[in-house]
Amino acid sequence: MVLRRWFPEDPPTWTDVLISLLALVWVPINVGYPQVKWGWLLFGFVIGLVLMGPIANSPIGERVGSWFREIEFLGRVLSILSFAVVVWVIAGRVSVPIEIVISYAGGSMLSIFVYVLIHLLYSGEISGWE
């Protein structure tokens, strides 16, 4: 079945469910109807689902995930901060309209909610807190 390749073998945790609900709440707070760019929202949604589904559960995605877990808390914080600095530097050099950024981010947030919801329905249970 195709869904087997999209989801990890473990069911989602309560942490996953909470994060997906926070992502769902983020969308109406930050994405206003008049300035939403629907194409970018859809693009962010599709890219988010593909990244969380088949790419994250591919052999390469699993290898990256295990590396990220192995570097422990400080390594993860440094990795995330490094990524944020790179994005900040690029954002300072490239002018992208804020409506595009917010619409893409909104689509990504919606994909988190939908992915966790489908994973929950597929697995039929929540495994506890992580």
Side-chain angles (χ1 to χ4, degrees):
M1 182 173 192
V2 172
L3 289 179
R4 188 170 295 133
R5 290 180 290 200
W6 276 61
F7 299 109
E9 292 184 19
D10 300 330
T13 64
W14 281 107
T15 305
D16 297 330
V17 172
L18 179 63
I19 288 171
S20 72
L21 291 174
L22 290 173
L24 183 64
V25 169
W26 183 92
V27 174
I29 291 172
N30 292 288
V31 180
Y33 179 74
Q35 70 260 27
V36 68
K37 304 287 187 196
W38 294 104
W40 284 103
L41 189 126
L42 180 62
F43 183 67
F45 181 78
V46 170
I47 293 297
L49 281 180
V50 170
L51 287 173
M52 287 183 290
I55 292 182
N57 293 296
S58 70
I60 292 172
E62 289 175 357
R63 206 169 325 146
V64 169
S66 67
W67 168 80
F68 197 69
R69 286 185 292 280
E70 287 174 7
I71 62 173
E72 298 181 357
F73 180 76
L74 183 59
R76 287 182 225 154
V77 168
L78 291 174
S79 296
I80 292 168
L81 287 176
S82 298
F83 178 76
V85 167
V86 168
V87 169
W88 179 66
V89 168
I90 291 172
R93 305 219 186 286
V94 178
S95 178
V96 178
I98 193 68
E99 294 87 6
I100 291 175
V101 174
I102 295 294
S103 297
Y104 179 85
S108 299
M109 293 295 181
L110 287 174
S111 71
I112 292 169
F113 175 76
V114 169
Y115 179 82
V116 172
L117 178 64
I118 294 171
H119 187 192
L120 178 62
L121 294 172
Y122 176 70
S123 65
E125 65 179 310
I126 300 175
S127 70
W129 290 97
E130 188 174 291

